[in-house]
PDB file of all heavy atoms in Angstrom:
ATOM      1  N   VAL A 105      13.864  44.689  -1.812  1.00 98.00           N
ATOM      2  CA  VAL A 105      14.520  43.981  -2.897  1.00 98.00           C
ATOM      3  C   VAL A 105      14.221  44.641  -4.238  1.00 98.00           C
ATOM      4  O   VAL A 105      13.248  45.390  -4.390  1.00 98.00           O
ATOM      5  CB  VAL A 105      14.101  42.494  -2.928  1.00 98.00           C
ATOM      6  CG1 VAL A 105      14.475  41.816  -1.616  1.00 98.00           C
ATOM      7  CG2 VAL A 105      12.617  42.330  -3.216  1.00 98.00           C
ATOM      8  N   ASP A 106      15.073  44.341  -5.209  1.00 98.00           N
ATOM      9  CA  ASP A 106      14.899  44.862  -6.561  1.00 98.00           C
ATOM     10  C   ASP A 106      13.983  43.982  -7.402  1.00 98.00           C
ATOM     11  O   ASP A 106      13.371  44.453  -8.364  1.00 98.00           O
ATOM     12  CB  ASP A 106      16.260  44.946  -7.270  1.00 98.00           C
ATOM     13  CG  ASP A 106      17.277  45.737  -6.480  1.00 98.00           C
ATOM     14  OD1 ASP A 106      16.953  46.877  -6.091  1.00 98.00           O
ATOM     15  OD2 ASP A 106      18.383  45.222  -6.246  1.00 98.00           O
ATOM     16  N   LEU A 107      13.910  42.703  -7.039  1.00 98.00           N
ATOM     17  CA  LEU A 107      13.166  41.733  -7.837  1.00 98.00           C
ATOM     18  C   LEU A 107      12.610  40.649  -6.937  1.00 98.00           C
ATOM     19  O   LEU A 107      13.314  40.145  -6.055  1.00 98.00           O
ATOM     20  CB  LEU A 107      14.099  41.111  -8.889  1.00 98.00           C
ATOM     21  CG  LEU A 107      13.557  39.966  -9.740  1.00 98.00           C
ATOM     22  CD1 LEU A 107      12.430  40.438 -10.646  1.00 98.00           C
ATOM     23  CD2 LEU A 107      14.687  39.338 -10.569  1.00 98.00           C
ATOM     24  N   ALA A 108      11.339  40.306  -7.145  1.00 98.00           N
ATOM     25  CA  ALA A 108      10.716  39.159  -6.486  1.00 98.00           C
ATOM     26  C   ALA A 108      10.264  38.197  -7.565  1.00 98.00           C
ATOM     27  O   ALA A 108       9.696  38.618  -8.580  1.00 98.00           O
ATOM     28  CB  ALA A 108       9.532  39.593  -5.622  1.00 98.00           C
ATOM     29  N   THR A 109      10.514  36.920  -7.356  1.00 98.00           N
ATOM     30  CA  THR A 109      10.199  35.926  -8.373  1.00 98.00           C
ATOM     31  C   THR A 109       9.372  34.788  -7.800  1.00 98.00           C
ATOM     32  O   THR A 109       9.467  34.452  -6.616  1.00 98.00           O
ATOM     33  CB  THR A 109      11.481  35.325  -8.973  1.00 98.00           C
ATOM     34  OG1 THR A 109      12.230  34.674  -7.930  1.00 98.00           O
ATOM     35  CG2 THR A 109      12.342  36.403  -9.624  1.00 98.00           C
ATOM     36  N   MET A 110       8.558  34.195  -8.676  1.00 98.00           N
ATOM     37  CA  MET A 110       7.889  32.923  -8.404  1.00 98.00           C
ATOM     38  C   MET A 110       8.079  32.087  -9.659  1.00 98.00           C
ATOM     39  O   MET A 110       7.381  32.280 -10.654  1.00 98.00           O
ATOM     40  CB  MET A 110       6.410  33.124  -8.087  1.00 98.00           C
ATOM     41  CG  MET A 110       6.131  33.764  -6.746  1.00 98.00           C
ATOM     42  SD  MET A 110       4.363  33.958  -6.362  1.00 98.00           S
ATOM     43  CE  MET A 110       4.015  35.541  -7.164  1.00 98.00           C
ATOM     44  N   THR A 111       9.053  31.177  -9.634  1.00 97.00           N
ATOM     45  CA  THR A 111       9.368  30.385 -10.803  1.00 97.00           C
ATOM     46  C   THR A 111       8.519  29.114 -10.846  1.00 97.00           C
ATOM     47  O   THR A 111       7.853  28.755  -9.876  1.00 97.00           O
ATOM     48  CB  THR A 111      10.857  30.000 -10.817  1.00 97.00           C
ATOM     49  OG1 THR A 111      11.122  29.135  -9.707  1.00 97.00           O
ATOM     50  CG2 THR A 111      11.742  31.240 -10.723  1.00 97.00           C
ATOM     51  N   ALA A 112       8.550  28.439 -11.987  1.00 94.00           N
ATOM     52  CA  ALA A 112       7.891  27.138 -12.160  1.00 94.00           C
ATOM     53  C   ALA A 112       6.423  27.205 -11.728  1.00 94.00           C
ATOM     54  O   ALA A 112       5.697  28.094 -12.144  1.00 94.00           O
ATOM     55  CB  ALA A 112       8.676  26.056 -11.415  1.00 94.00           C
ATOM     56  N   ASN A 113       5.997  26.270 -10.865  1.00 94.00           N
ATOM     57  CA  ASN A 113       4.581  26.174 -10.487  1.00 94.00           C
ATOM     58  C   ASN A 113       4.202  26.986  -9.258  1.00 94.00           C
ATOM     59  O   ASN A 113       3.071  26.881  -8.785  1.00 94.00           O
ATOM     60  CB  ASN A 113       4.219  24.711 -10.199  1.00 94.00           C
ATOM     61  CG  ASN A 113       4.208  23.853 -11.431  1.00 94.00           C
ATOM     62  OD1 ASN A 113       3.949  24.322 -12.533  1.00 94.00           O
ATOM     63  ND2 ASN A 113       4.486  22.564 -11.256  1.00 94.00           N
ATOM     64  N   VAL A 114       5.122  27.788  -8.735  1.00 97.00           N
ATOM     65  CA  VAL A 114       4.895  28.425  -7.438  1.00 97.00           C
ATOM     66  C   VAL A 114       3.594  29.232  -7.408  1.00 97.00           C
ATOM     67  O   VAL A 114       2.772  29.090  -6.501  1.00 97.00           O
ATOM     68  CB  VAL A 114       6.085  29.308  -7.041  1.00 97.00           C
ATOM     69  CG1 VAL A 114       5.759  30.142  -5.803  1.00 97.00           C
ATOM     70  CG2 VAL A 114       7.313  28.450  -6.783  1.00 97.00           C
ATOM     71  N   ALA A 115       3.382  30.102  -8.394  1.00 97.00           N
ATOM     72  CA  ALA A 115       2.183  30.944  -8.388  1.00 97.00           C
ATOM     73  C   ALA A 115       0.922  30.100  -8.450  1.00 97.00           C
ATOM     74  O   ALA A 115      -0.069  30.389  -7.763  1.00 97.00           O
ATOM     75  CB  ALA A 115       2.225  31.932  -9.551  1.00 97.00           C
ATOM     76  N   GLN A 116       0.941  29.041  -9.240  1.00 97.00           N
ATOM     77  CA  GLN A 116      -0.260  28.216  -9.381  1.00 97.00           C
ATOM     78  C   GLN A 116      -0.529  27.357  -8.155  1.00 97.00           C
ATOM     79  O   GLN A 116      -1.665  26.939  -7.922  1.00 97.00           O
ATOM     80  CB  GLN A 116      -0.126  27.320 -10.614  1.00 97.00           C
ATOM     81  CG  GLN A 116      -0.264  28.078 -11.928  1.00 97.00           C
ATOM     82  CD  GLN A 116      -0.343  27.141 -13.116  1.00 97.00           C
ATOM     83  OE1 GLN A 116       0.630  26.957 -13.826  1.00 97.00           O
ATOM     84  NE2 GLN A 116      -1.502  26.536 -13.318  1.00 97.00           N
ATOM     85  N   GLN A 117       0.508  27.088  -7.361  1.00 97.00           N
ATOM     86  CA  GLN A 117       0.313  26.298  -6.150  1.00 97.00           C
ATOM     87  C   GLN A 117      -0.400  27.083  -5.060  1.00 97.00           C
ATOM     88  O   GLN A 117      -0.885  26.488  -4.093  1.00 97.00           O
ATOM     89  CB  GLN A 117       1.662  25.786  -5.648  1.00 97.00           C
ATOM     90  CG  GLN A 117       2.230  24.673  -6.504  1.00 97.00           C
ATOM     91  CD  GLN A 117       3.672  24.350  -6.177  1.00 97.00           C
ATOM     92  OE1 GLN A 117       4.383  25.164  -5.585  1.00 97.00           O
ATOM     93  NE2 GLN A 117       4.121  23.172  -6.567  1.00 97.00           N
ATOM     94  N   ILE A 118      -0.478  28.388  -5.207  1.00 97.00           N
ATOM     95  CA  ILE A 118      -1.218  29.212  -4.242  1.00 97.00           C
ATOM     96  C   ILE A 118      -2.646  29.272  -4.752  1.00 97.00           C
ATOM     97  O   ILE A 118      -3.032  30.139  -5.528  1.00 97.00           O
ATOM     98  CB  ILE A 118      -0.587  30.606  -4.123  1.00 97.00           C
ATOM     99  CG1 ILE A 118       0.903  30.487  -3.797  1.00 97.00           C
ATOM    100  CG2 ILE A 118      -1.311  31.433  -3.047  1.00 97.00           C
ATOM    101  CD1 ILE A 118       1.668  31.786  -3.892  1.00 97.00           C
ATOM    102  N   THR A 119      -3.460  28.323  -4.319  1.00 97.00           N
ATOM    103  CA  THR A 119      -4.783  28.127  -4.904  1.00 97.00           C
ATOM    104  C   THR A 119      -5.878  28.962  -4.245  1.00 97.00           C
ATOM    105  O   THR A 119      -6.868  29.297  -4.889  1.00 97.00           O
ATOM    106  CB  THR A 119      -5.182  26.642  -4.843  1.00 97.00           C
ATOM    107  OG1 THR A 119      -5.167  26.209  -3.471  1.00 97.00           O
ATOM    108  CG2 THR A 119      -4.203  25.788  -5.639  1.00 97.00           C
ATOM    109  N   ASP A 120      -5.708  29.292  -2.979  1.00 97.00           N
ATOM    110  CA  ASP A 120      -6.740  30.048  -2.269  1.00 97.00           C
ATOM    111  C   ASP A 120      -6.695  31.514  -2.702  1.00 97.00           C
ATOM    112  O   ASP A 120      -5.629  32.143  -2.652  1.00 97.00           O
ATOM    113  CB  ASP A 120      -6.518  29.950  -0.761  1.00 97.00           C
ATOM    114  CG  ASP A 120      -7.546  30.753   0.010  1.00 97.00           C
ATOM    115  OD1 ASP A 120      -8.692  30.300   0.115  1.00 97.00           O
ATOM    116  OD2 ASP A 120      -7.189  31.854   0.485  1.00 97.00           O
ATOM    117  N   PRO A 121      -7.825  32.095  -3.128  1.00 97.00           N
ATOM    118  CA  PRO A 121      -7.813  33.477  -3.605  1.00 97.00           C
ATOM    119  C   PRO A 121      -7.292  34.483  -2.580  1.00 97.00           C
ATOM    120  O   PRO A 121      -6.551  35.404  -2.936  1.00 97.00           O
ATOM    121  CB  PRO A 121      -9.279  33.743  -3.963  1.00 97.00           C
ATOM    122  CG  PRO A 121      -9.834  32.393  -4.281  1.00 97.00           C
ATOM    123  CD  PRO A 121      -9.142  31.453  -3.331  1.00 97.00           C
ATOM    124  N   ASP A 122      -7.662  34.316  -1.325  1.00 97.00           N
ATOM    125  CA  ASP A 122      -7.171  35.241  -0.301  1.00 97.00           C
ATOM    126  C   ASP A 122      -5.664  35.096  -0.101  1.00 97.00           C
ATOM    127  O   ASP A 122      -4.943  36.093   0.036  1.00 97.00           O
ATOM    128  CB  ASP A 122      -7.887  35.000   1.028  1.00 97.00           C
ATOM    129  CG  ASP A 122      -9.341  35.456   0.994  1.00 97.00           C
ATOM    130  OD1 ASP A 122      -9.669  36.326   0.165  1.00 97.00           O
ATOM    131  OD2 ASP A 122     -10.141  34.928   1.787  1.00 97.00           O
ATOM    132  N   ALA A 123      -5.176  33.850  -0.099  1.00 97.00           N
ATOM    133  CA  ALA A 123      -3.741  33.629   0.057  1.00 97.00           C
ATOM    134  C   ALA A 123      -2.976  34.206  -1.130  1.00 97.00           C
ATOM    135  O   ALA A 123      -1.873  34.746  -0.968  1.00 97.00           O
ATOM    136  CB  ALA A 123      -3.455  32.132   0.197  1.00 97.00           C
ATOM    137  N   TRP A 124      -3.552  34.126  -2.326  1.00 98.00           N
ATOM    138  CA  TRP A 124      -2.903  34.688  -3.503  1.00 98.00           C
ATOM    139  C   TRP A 124      -2.822  36.211  -3.405  1.00 98.00           C
ATOM    140  O   TRP A 124      -1.770  36.801  -3.663  1.00 98.00           O
ATOM    141  CB  TRP A 124      -3.661  34.273  -4.753  1.00 98.00           C
ATOM    142  CG  TRP A 124      -3.178  34.862  -6.034  1.00 98.00           C
ATOM    143  CD1 TRP A 124      -3.891  35.635  -6.912  1.00 98.00           C
ATOM    144  CD2 TRP A 124      -1.872  34.736  -6.619  1.00 98.00           C
ATOM    145  NE1 TRP A 124      -3.126  36.001  -7.987  1.00 98.00           N
ATOM    146  CE2 TRP A 124      -1.881  35.464  -7.835  1.00 98.00           C
ATOM    147  CE3 TRP A 124      -0.700  34.090  -6.224  1.00 98.00           C
ATOM    148  CZ2 TRP A 124      -0.746  35.563  -8.652  1.00 98.00           C
ATOM    149  CZ3 TRP A 124       0.421  34.181  -7.036  1.00 98.00           C
ATOM    150  CH2 TRP A 124       0.387  34.906  -8.229  1.00 98.00           C
ATOM    151  N   ARG A 125      -3.917  36.832  -2.986  1.00 98.00           N
ATOM    152  CA  ARG A 125      -3.896  38.293  -2.829  1.00 98.00           C
ATOM    153  C   ARG A 125      -2.891  38.708  -1.750  1.00 98.00           C
ATOM    154  O   ARG A 125      -2.185  39.709  -1.909  1.00 98.00           O
ATOM    155  CB  ARG A 125      -5.300  38.792  -2.477  1.00 98.00           C
ATOM    156  CG  ARG A 125      -6.253  38.800  -3.666  1.00 98.00           C
ATOM    157  CD  ARG A 125      -7.548  39.507  -3.321  1.00 98.00           C
ATOM    158  NE  ARG A 125      -8.382  38.719  -2.444  1.00 98.00           N
ATOM    159  CZ  ARG A 125      -9.313  37.861  -2.859  1.00 98.00           C
ATOM    160  NH1 ARG A 125      -9.518  37.694  -4.162  1.00 98.00           N
ATOM    161  NH2 ARG A 125     -10.039  37.180  -2.009  1.00 98.00           N
ATOM    162  N   GLU A 126      -2.819  37.934  -0.668  1.00 98.00           N
ATOM    163  CA  GLU A 126      -1.862  38.247   0.394  1.00 98.00           C
ATOM    164  C   GLU A 126      -0.422  38.024  -0.059  1.00 98.00           C
ATOM    165  O   GLU A 126       0.493  38.730   0.366  1.00 98.00           O
ATOM    166  CB  GLU A 126      -2.164  37.409   1.632  1.00 98.00           C
ATOM    167  CG  GLU A 126      -3.366  37.909   2.431  1.00 98.00           C
ATOM    168  CD  GLU A 126      -3.138  39.324   2.935  1.00 98.00           C
ATOM    169  OE1 GLU A 126      -2.218  39.534   3.738  1.00 98.00           O
ATOM    170  OE2 GLU A 126      -3.876  40.232   2.497  1.00 98.00           O
TER     171      GLU A 126
END
Side-chain angles (χ1 to χ4, degrees):
V105 300
D106 306 308
L107 174 66
T109 61
M110 289 182 274
T111 65
N113 290 331
V114 171
Q116 287 189 258
Q117 287 169 340
I118 306 170
T119 58
D120 178 75
D122 289 336
W124 175 239
R125 285 189 287 269
E126 284 299 296

